[in-house]
Amino acid sequence: MPRTAPYGSWTSPVTTEILTSSSPSYDFLQSNNGCQYWLESRPWENGRSVIVEKDSNGRLRDVLPPPLSARSKVHEYGGTPYIVAEGILYFCLQDDQRIYALDLASPQPLPKPVTPDMEYRFADFCFDSRRRRLICVCEDHSNSGREPENFIAAIPLDGSGNIEKLASGADFYAYPRISPDQNKVSWIQWHHPNMPWDATALVLADLSTEGAVCSERTIAGDGAESIFQPQWSPAGDLYYVSDRSNWWNIYRYDEKRQISEIVLEMEAEFATPLWVLGMSCYGFCADGSLIATYTQNGRWRLIRISAEGEAQDLDSGYSCFSSICCGDTQAWFIGSSPLKDAEIASYDTTSGGFTLEKGGASLAFGDNYLSSPQAITFDTSENQLAHGFYYPPGNPDYRAPENEKPPLLVICHGGPTGATSTALNMKVQYWTSRGFAVLDVNYRGSTGYGREFRQSLNGRWGVADVEDVLNGARFLVSRGLADPEKLAIRGSSAGGYTVLASLTFHDLFKAGACLYGIGDLETLAADTHKFESRYCDHLVGAYPEQKNLYRARSPIHHAGQLNCPIIFFQGLDDKVVPPSQASQMVRAMKERHLPVAYLCFEGEGHGFRKADTISRALTAELYFYSRIFGFYQPEPSPPVFIENL
């Protein structure tokens, strides 16, 4: 029989050890010469990113020997850090950001540098076999004191170490892709103050015999549309995704007529925000069919579009998809669902069947410990709607005392141009299996609901998103699904800013957790990396012209209004949100004599990768809530000190 115990105090089999060692995260699938490759990020190896090969016989091996780690730092968030071509692995080494070559046929391969030891960063590769070179995005950090320069680079594989500029002049570049006949190259580019989901341009150019770019022309992007993932079909047609209709749909460019035609018109998104270079939401098989993933109302689906334009949704058993990669008769993808961790699977276009290529770890407990997401839509300010997924508390070993309502943890995703999903998130299950209700909010500005919804946060960051998380919590309280005296809010990065703004300017929440979040918008505008240096121009307003607005919405300048306990977590190597942001807020709370805890981690940047960091942070956060809300949890080890409690 279940034991009776207060919500929040339940013992759960969803431990931090399971969170950090159950399975790696997968990304950047590629196919080459009958083999599949992908990147595995492994918290138990201190976050090392390993390139894995699955050969035509199904054998798995790590092709990147330890302790090497492949990771790009372009835009700080990175992108596809490798490519396999003609039996050679070319990869970007995390430690020095140089490109190295590794012969995959060698029994004891040793990486050989391809690029010189300079302050360059690389990502998003394609291979020009005719001219024996790599083409990629390059970011030059060698000009100290100046903004890094981004350009499309050609890197000859003759051992010269040269880095040639194919295209330059724009502030940012992505998706350099060479045509099947290797006579053309395409890419997208954009300028400050736009982010890639605001306005990008698709450029098509010819390549001379020597490989020089000539006859550049912009074929899509009028300054008010976002272009995503240009890609060449096997027949040599250029496809891309555009949100010109409000929805990110797929288009084909007809070069003879110089017009673009929509492939499949839907009120759905066939793209996701380009935070990371090289993201892939569709691909082509040899028969010309297109395998793609799209999202509607927060849920992802897989679809096949034939060469004749006939569309068919594919029932795969997954509800989230990423990193689509296609071969002759197969498509590979990363799939997950509310009850299934991310795994690599394939779809056969001939048989119509699905095959598991690399599974996630099997659960060490029954799925009755898992809470399933329930999609909700609720009214918010300005007669608008917001969205989210509600997870009820659940644990078969426990029941709550009669008439007790659970504590509610509201989660704010990062970005803020991002979105939450229905994929199995063991961090969410960590809370629900202990007796918390969880609301994961897709506030205004989130992707997956069209360009207009995404842009509804413009000029309203710190206002509209805050109103949405407040109204989401009120929605659940009004339905008796949460204790109004035990409302907590957590978020990381931009989500951390929503946390701090919610706690500073409103009194609804009783506790908060801020993970590498933003307390001072002015500091963010003046002291962040190039990619996001003008992000706030759209979200808040032009800086410094609207400096007063930045100060008005910055929690650090209104700490006197805080009356709520907060726990802060910060990586000391964070270049996106500098550690000074957290320390300023902690100092302000101490001066106010408010309960506050602060954990900082050496060797961690923007987002925690190490198993020990992830474990310590979650354990400390749970203990923090237990002290604030009054349910028992043992002191974490090592202990976390809550000042002024």
Side-chain angles (χ1 to χ4, degrees):
M1 292 292 292
R3 295 169 49 193
T4 299
Y7 285 116
S9 67
W10 302 346
T11 301
S12 169
V14 186
T15 63
T16 58
E17 289 76 21
I18 286 177
L19 263 70
T20 56
S21 63
S22 58
S23 63
S25 62
Y26 303 116
D27 209 348
F28 304 126
L29 297 183
Q30 294 188 24
S31 176
N32 183 263
N33 197 28
C35 299
Q36 286 75 54
Y37 301 87
W38 59 81
L39 203 69
E40 291 189 5
S41 180
R42 300 171 178 171
W44 61 91
E45 294 187 36
N46 286 325
R48 187 169 82 96
S49 294
V50 184
I51 299 167
V52 178
E53 176 191 79
K54 185 172 186 177
D55 67 18
S56 56
N57 295 314
R59 293 174 299 210
L60 291 169
R61 64 164 177 155
D62 292 355
V63 294
L64 195 65
L68 302 183
S69 181
R71 182 180 172 228
S72 167
K73 295 182 180 180
V74 173
H75 296 174
E76 299 300 333
Y77 295 102
T80 310
Y82 77 98
I83 189 171
V84 177
E86 298 179 344
I88 305 295
L89 167 66
Y90 301 96
F91 69 96
C92 182
L93 183 65
Q94 178 174 332
D95 292 343
D96 61 11
Q97 293 296 290
R98 298 172 71 182
I99 298 174
Y100 289 80
L102 197 67
D103 186 348
L104 297 179
S106 174
Q108 293 182 320
L110 291 175
K112 298 179 180 179
V114 174
T115 55
D117 187 9
M118 299 176 66
E119 294 184 61
Y120 282 23
R121 302 175 180 182
F122 307 93
D124 204 0
F125 300 91
C126 67
F127 181 59
D128 183 352
S129 60
R130 178 185 298 177
R131 302 164 186 90
R132 306 293 306 160
R133 61 182 183 173
L134 300 177
I135 297 175
C136 63
V137 175
C138 180
E139 190 171 75
D140 180 3
H141 287 253
S142 62
N143 293 322
S144 179
R146 294 175 54 188
E147 190 174 68
E149 180 190 7
N150 293 64
F151 56 91
I152 302 292
I155 302 171
L157 300 176
D158 56 7
S160 64
N162 291 335
I163 299 175
E164 304 170 358
K165 290 184 181 179
L166 278 186
S168 61
D171 289 318
F172 301 98
Y173 293 88
Y175 291 112
R177 297 294 183 265
I178 194 167
S179 61
D181 62 10
Q182 301 189 338
N183 290 326
K184 295 181 176 65
V185 63
S186 61
W187 65 83
I188 65 170
Q189 63 186 40
W190 66 98
H191 295 270
H192 286 313
N194 291 313
M195 300 298 285
W197 44 85
D198 294 321
T200 54
L202 173 58
V203 179
L204 177 63
D206 298 328
L207 288 173
S208 68
T209 304
E210 296 76 21
V213 165
C214 51
S215 302
E216 288 184 36
R217 57 270 193 198
T218 299
I219 61 172
D222 60 2
E225 68 177 298
S226 168
I227 309 296
F228 177 90
Q229 195 188 343
Q231 184 165 329
W232 296 88
S233 73
D237 295 317
L238 183 59
Y239 287 68
Y240 63 93
V241 181
S242 169
D243 65 357
R244 65 184 59 163
S245 68
N246 183 51
W247 302 95
W248 263 320
N249 282 186
I250 301 175
Y251 292 78
R252 182 182 68 86
Y253 179 66
D254 186 325
E255 190 169 8
K256 291 182 178 179
R257 295 189 293 158
Q258 297 185 6
I259 61 170
S260 293
E261 299 174 315
I262 195 166
V263 173
L264 180 65
E265 188 170 7
M266 293 179 64
E267 291 188 355
E269 305 270 60
F270 287 79
T272 189
L274 192 63
W275 284 103
V276 177
L277 295 180
M279 303 170 88
S280 177
C281 288
Y282 71 96
F284 294 96
C285 293
D287 63 359
S289 64
L290 189 153
I291 310 298
T293 181
Y294 69 90
T295 179
Q296 275 184 325
N297 301 318
R299 296 183 182 273
W300 288 87
R301 295 172 176 84
L302 196 67
I303 192 170
R304 180 181 182 182
I305 306 172
S306 71
E308 293 74 33
E310 298 178 355
Q312 174 192 6
D313 275 340
L314 304 176
D315 185 10
S316 65
Y318 301 102
S319 61
C320 293
F321 304 87
S322 63
S323 200
I324 306 293
C325 168
C326 293
D328 287 345
T329 61
Q330 282 188 302
W332 297 270
F333 58 87
I334 299 167
S336 59
S337 73
L339 300 180
K340 188 179 295 184
D341 207 355
E343 53 192 30
I344 298 173
S346 63
Y347 167 74
D348 190 294
T349 59
T350 302
S351 68
F354 289 88
T355 302
L356 178 64
E357 302 288 346
K358 174 71 184 296
S362 57
L363 294 175
F365 46 83
D367 59 16
N368 55 346
Y369 287 93
L370 300 179
S371 178
S372 295
Q374 301 173 17
I376 64 171
T377 297
F378 52 90
D379 293 324
T380 189
S381 61
E382 301 173 321
N383 296 317
Q384 298 292 311
L385 297 174
H387 313 274
F389 294 103
Y390 163 68
Y391 294 81
N395 185 320
D397 300 331
Y398 291 90
R399 63 186 175 194
E402 191 174 356
N403 297 323
E404 182 177 319
K405 299 292 190 296
L408 173 67
L409 187 58
V410 176
I411 298 179
C412 312
H413 66 70
T417 308
T420 187
S421 75
T422 60
L424 177 62
N425 185 334
M426 295 305 290
K427 290 181 181 178
V428 169
Q429 305 299 332
Y430 178 88
W431 299 109
T432 57
S433 61
R434 286 168 169 78
F436 285 76
V438 170
L439 174 61
D440 208 352
V441 183
N442 276 331
Y443 47 76
R444 279 171 286 178
S446 302
T447 52
Y449 303 90
R451 181 180 177 91
E452 292 177 6
F453 187 83
R454 190 170 72 245
Q455 292 191 325
S456 63
L457 192 63
N458 285 358
R460 302 278 291 158
W461 191 31
V463 179
D465 54 319
V466 170
E467 291 168 344
D468 292 353
V469 297
L470 293 168
N471 285 315
R474 292 180 182 128
F475 177 83
L476 295 180
V477 168
S478 70
R479 280 154 177 75
L481 299 175
D483 186 338
E485 298 303 315
K486 294 180 180 178
L487 303 179
I489 184 170
R490 79 185 306 267
S492 56
S493 189
Y497 168 66
T498 302
V499 168
L500 295 178
S502 299
L503 300 178
T504 301
F505 303 117
H506 301 271
D507 296 324
L508 182 68
F509 295 104
K510 311 303 180 184
C514 178
L515 292 84
Y516 38 93
I518 301 154
D520 186 351
L521 292 176
E522 282 190 274
T523 302
L524 180 69
D527 187 26
T528 191
H529 56 111
K530 178 185 177 182
F531 180 62
E532 291 186 276
S533 62
R534 302 288 299 278
Y535 191 13
C536 290
D537 283 29
H538 287 296
L539 294 173
V540 183
Y543 187 85
E545 292 85 351
Q546 294 181 274
K547 181 176 181 179
N548 290 340
L549 185 57
Y550 279 72
R551 294 181 66 86
R553 294 190 192 170
S554 294
I556 191 64
H557 296 302
H558 305 276
Q561 298 176 217
L562 275 169
N563 58 6
C564 175
I566 308 176
I567 186 168
F568 293 84
F569 303 94
Q570 180 68 47
L572 295 179
D573 294 343
D574 195 337
K575 298 297 189 294
V576 177
V577 179
S580 59
Q581 294 260 340
S583 59
Q584 288 178 45
M585 289 300 300
V586 171
R587 190 180 312 115
M589 292 195 66
K590 288 180 178 179
E591 292 172 355
R592 290 266 297 150
H593 302 287
L594 292 169
V596 62
Y598 178 44
L599 279 77
C600 55
F601 303 96
E602 293 185 358
E604 292 283 14
H606 197 66
F608 300 152
R609 288 180 167 82
K610 299 179 181 179
D612 181 64
T613 301
I614 297 168
S615 178
R616 287 182 59 195
L618 272 172
T619 303
E621 187 178 350
L622 175 61
Y623 176 73
F624 180 78
Y625 296 142
S626 75
R627 292 294 306 276
I628 301 303
F629 294 143
F631 48 78
Y632 171 75
Q633 285 291 337
E635 176 79 20
S637 181
V640 57
F641 175 63
I642 306 174
E643 194 161 336
N644 299 323
L645 184 65

